[in-house]
Every structure is written in structure tokens, then in C-alpha cells.
Amino acid sequence: MKTLKILAVDDHQMTMIGYKYILEDAEFEDFTVAMEMATTFEEGKQKIEQSVANSDLFDLILLDIQLSPVVDGVPSTGQDLGVIARNISPTSKIVFLSSFSDNYRINSILRTVNPEGYMVKTEINEIVLKEMVETVLTSPPYYTKKALIAIRNKMSTNIHLDDTDIKILYYLSVGTRTKDMGDYVPLSISAIENRKRQIKEIFGVENENDNALIASAKEKGFI
């Protein structure tokens, strides 16, 4: 019987041990599961690179988003690791398992990594984990309910924004002041203000405050 090789990368080790116990103990029709674990971005990257060097790729890679803080702009998130895995191990299926269910993060990951699945951790149980594995191997993608809602919200609008516009919306939504946004968006403060005015016009809230813009953007699935 075939052995399905899975790599799980999550900084919460007890969470991964739970996944490992469930999946290795589960009964699948034509394979068994062997799961390796990594708790940091660097450890996960090394395991993926080693599997490529050995021509023994992982069949499925499970990634949390928030692995460690970014230091000096060096990539270190699960999303960064997903991009690497997609490039060097293209036959591996990639599924994100994260506590984040906001539209911004989910749609950003879909755009940059195009994973075979996205699961919100609060919706994960033994049945869902087993169902996810079976689905991504035969007929991906697999999304839990909250992830699917975020994707559908984004698809239901005809509004088109570029990455900079979406970043401005996101940082507004988490309470970042415009004068501090230059730390995250590569524009001058005046350029950010101009962009914000244009975004308000796009959403039809040009005469209202930032809260109205955030509410409209959330309603349409952008944040």
C-alpha cells in the first residue's frame, strides 16, 4: 500500500501532533499516511529543499500562515514558504491551515500560491481533516466554510483594485493611521492620501470617513 508523505509546518507543535495522530491513524482506501513536522519557516524550508534534493517530494504540505515575525524584510511566513514550495516542488499539494479567516489574507494567498486548499482552524476536526486529504488528492480545491465565504465575497464584485490599493484598505482596517502607513506601503503620505480618495470614489463613499470605506470594502470581500 502506498505511503502518502505529508509535511506540516506550524509553530504550535501540539496542534501538529494532533493532526499527525488523526491522519496517521485514519483509514484511507489505498494509502497510509506518514507525517513529518517543522515548527519554523527555516526548518520547513530545509525539509522541502531536502525532499527535492533526494527526489522524494512531499505529496502534501500543510502550512500555517504566521510562523514567525518578518525581520528586516526577510521572508518568513507560511505564505512565503508556500511560494517557495510551489516553485521548487510543483507536484506537491499545498493546503493552508490557519486561524486567519479575513478576505485579505485568504485572497492574497490564492493569488500568490494558488493552493489546493485553505482551512480555518476553528472549523477543523477529525472528519474535516480526512475529507481534506481525500479531496486535494483527487479533485481539489478544498475549502472550509469561512474560507469559501471569503472567496465568494471577492468574486461577487466587479471592483478591481491593484495590490497597493488592497494594502491600503487592509492597513486602514487594522487601525493603522495614514501618517504611519508609509512603513508598510511604498508610497509617500501624500500619494497614499490621493490613493485613498480614489478608492473612496470607487466604493461610492467619497464624502464619508474611513470607517465607511472599511465597511464597504468588507461587505464586498476585499478585507
Side-chain angles (χ1 to χ4, degrees):
M1 184 176 287
K2 177 187 175 181
T3 298
L4 186 79
K5 290 189 59 180
I6 297 178
L7 172 65
V9 186
D10 192 318
D11 58 356
H12 296 91
Q13 189 169 29
M14 292 306 296
T15 299
M16 285 192 298
I17 290 173
Y19 296 158
K20 180 178 175 69
Y21 175 81
I22 290 171
L23 291 175
E24 291 189 345
D25 194 53
E27 293 186 6
F28 295 98
E29 186 173 336
D30 55 0
F31 61 85
T32 58
V33 168
M35 192 175 110
E36 295 185 33
M37 299 182 294
T39 57
T40 66
F41 171 89
E42 195 57 43
E43 185 184 3
K45 181 171 175 284
Q46 289 174 357
K47 284 182 178 289
I48 294 169
E49 290 174 339
Q50 190 62 52
S51 74
V52 173
N54 294 340
S55 298
D56 189 21
L57 305 182
F58 290 103
D59 299 293
L60 175 60
I61 300 173
L62 307 178
L63 298 174
D64 188 14
I65 296 176
Q66 194 168 2
L67 298 178
S68 58
V70 176
V71 179
D72 296 329
V74 177
S76 59
T77 68
Q79 184 172 348
D80 297 320
L81 190 55
V83 171
I84 293 170
R86 182 60 82 208
N87 287 333
I88 69 174
S89 185
T91 61
S92 300
K93 309 294 186 184
I94 300 173
V95 175
F96 283 86
L97 291 75
S98 178
S99 57
F100 293 112
S101 60
D102 60 278
N103 300 326
Y104 174 81
R105 289 185 187 271
I106 293 176
N107 284 292
S108 175
I109 285 170
L110 292 181
R111 187 174 66 254
T112 58
V113 182
N114 191 25
E116 280 71 28
Y118 192 107
M119 306 175 73
V120 178
K121 284 184 176 179
T122 55
E123 300 179 294
I124 295 175
N125 57 38
E126 183 174 347
I127 294 172
V128 168
L129 269 178
K130 185 173 184 290
E131 185 178 72
M132 175 273 293
V133 171
E134 293 172 332
T135 301
V136 299
L137 292 179
T138 58
S139 55
Y142 183 89
Y143 304 120
T144 56
K145 184 178 179 180
K146 288 180 181 178
L148 193 56
I149 288 172
I151 295 164
R152 285 176 174 168
N153 283 346
K154 182 71 177 345
M155 292 173 64
S156 66
T157 177
N158 292 322
I159 293 175
H160 299 287
L161 303 177
D162 65 19
D163 288 345
T164 300
D165 293 336
I166 292 173
K167 279 185 179 180
I168 290 171
L169 282 173
Y170 173 72
Y171 286 111
L172 281 175
S173 75
V174 297
T176 306
R177 295 177 297 181
T178 302
K179 68 177 184 177
D180 298 324
M181 211 171 285
D183 294 335
Y184 310 101
V185 179
L187 294 174
S188 66
I189 299 304
S190 61
I192 291 172
E193 288 282 10
N194 186 51
R195 282 267 191 155
K196 194 166 69 172
R197 282 194 296 271
Q198 292 175 3
I199 297 169
K200 284 186 176 182
E201 290 176 3
I202 290 171
F203 283 92
V205 292
E206 57 268 31
N207 296 320
E208 300 186 54
N209 60 20
D210 290 351
N211 290 334
L213 174 59
I214 293 167
S216 182
K218 283 183 176 179
E219 180 185 355
K220 293 176 173 61
F222 284 91
I223 52 177

